[in-house]
Amino acid sequence: GAGVSQSPRYKVAKRGQDVALRCDPISGHVSLFWYQQALGQGPEFLTYFQNEAQLDKSGLPSDRFFAERPEGSVSTLKIQRTQQEDSAVYLCASSFRGGGNEQYFGPGTRLTVT
Amino acid sequence: AQSVAQPEDQVNVAEGNPLTVKCTYSVSGNPYLFWYVQYPNRGLQFLLKYITGDNLVKGSYGFEAEFNKSQTSFHLKKPSALVSDSALYFCAVREGGYQKVTFGIGTKLQVIP
């Protein structure tokens, strides 16, 4: 079956631009996670959704970062006024239920801010 | 706060030899522990998890991991390494009752033919 998909796969933004990153989770998966992975590091938790409810956004680094999942399926991570330190791979993962279940990861979106 | 340590940046092992990739963790409550693998140009893939029960858990591709509560460790093992096992391995922990999963920085496994 289809896995988690993310678009775009690559994004180059000029500093100060807004970007929107999309995640299509596996159908029927209740939980959705966003992570930021810097070069040479492990994924860093950003935020968690259960259906349409954003239950944990403790990892969002600043108020420039915003995520939504309005209908409990597709999710969008938006970054406003991008900065160079936002350059990273943004990973989306979904799981059938909560964090005790294994997560299925998308291929990621590589964001480069110039 | 929960944390994970993977003390080795890289592990080299000869094909056919046993391999171990180390992981230690810190949580306040009961841990949920995971191993994921990342092959070049591919997304993270789940290998195995420990929630409760037997300390030795078996996962995909012949991998297994042993949960040791007293040493707060969850080392990944395989009896006989394959060249195709060469990849980046991540250990992760979640504290029971919370959804946030914390990943280690990863260990690069290189299996030498």
Side-chain angles (χ1 to χ4, degrees):
Chain A
V4 178
S5 61
Q6 293 185 245
S7 60
R9 290 293 311 279
Y10 303 91
K11 177 69 178 177
V12 179
K14 292 185 178 179
R15 192 174 64 175
Q17 283 184 332
D18 298 349
V19 298
L21 312 180
R22 177 187 169 103
C23 172
D24 282 84
I26 292 173
S27 178
H29 277 194
V30 169
S31 299
L32 185 145
F33 301 79
W34 282 99
Y35 295 88
Q36 181 189 61
Q37 187 174 20
L39 192 63
Q41 300 295 316
E44 293 275 350
F45 171 84
L46 293 177
T47 187
Y48 162 71
F49 289 86
Q50 183 174 310
N51 295 308
E52 69 279 3
Q54 188 175 19
L55 299 184
D56 188 340
K57 54 182 180 179
S58 62
L60 296 176
S62 77
D63 59 7
R64 296 187 295 104
F65 286 70
F66 172 76
E68 60 184 5
R69 194 186 185 197
E71 297 179 358
S73 55
V74 171
S75 177
T76 304
L77 176 67
K78 297 179 180 178
I79 309 174
Q80 297 177 325
R81 304 180 304 282
T82 52
Q83 303 294 316
Q84 281 195 316
E85 60 264 28
D86 299 335
S87 296
V89 175
Y90 290 85
L91 299 172
C92 176
S94 68
S95 69
F96 179 62
R97 294 177 68 181
N101 290 274
E102 57 267 32
Q103 297 179 25
Y104 294 82
F105 282 81
T109 295
R110 182 177 296 278
L111 173 65
T112 303
V113 181
T114 61
Chain B
Q2 58 195 35
S3 65
V4 172
Q6 293 184 244
E8 303 153 318
D9 289 337
Q10 182 160 334
V11 170
N12 296 320
V13 63
E15 186 177 23
N17 281 3
L19 70 87
T20 299
V21 182
K22 295 180 180 177
C23 171
T24 59
Y25 67 90
S26 175
V27 295
S28 301
N30 293 323
Y32 291 5
L33 294 155
F34 305 85
W35 277 101
Y36 287 83
V37 60
Q38 188 171 39
Y39 297 102
N41 299 317
R42 294 177 65 179
L44 281 156
Q45 297 178 32
F46 169 79
L47 272 182
L48 51 77
K49 66 180 178 183
Y50 171 83
I51 304 298
T52 184
D54 288 342
N55 290 342
L56 184 66
V57 293
K58 295 185 183 296
S60 307
Y61 312 119
F63 284 92
E64 58 189 29
E66 186 167 12
F67 170 64
N68 187 316
K69 188 173 183 178
S70 63
Q71 297 186 5
T72 61
S73 67
F74 190 57
H75 300 329
L76 182 70
K77 300 181 179 183
K78 187 173 182 181
S80 178
L82 300 173
V83 172
S84 57
D85 293 330
S86 298
L88 191 56
Y89 290 81
F90 291 94
C91 181
V93 67
R94 171 199 162 223
E95 183 175 344
Y98 297 89
Q99 301 300 327
K100 176 181 176 178
V101 177
T102 298
F103 284 79
I105 64 169
T107 298
K108 182 178 180 181
L109 174 66
Q110 190 77 32
V111 181
I112 303 162

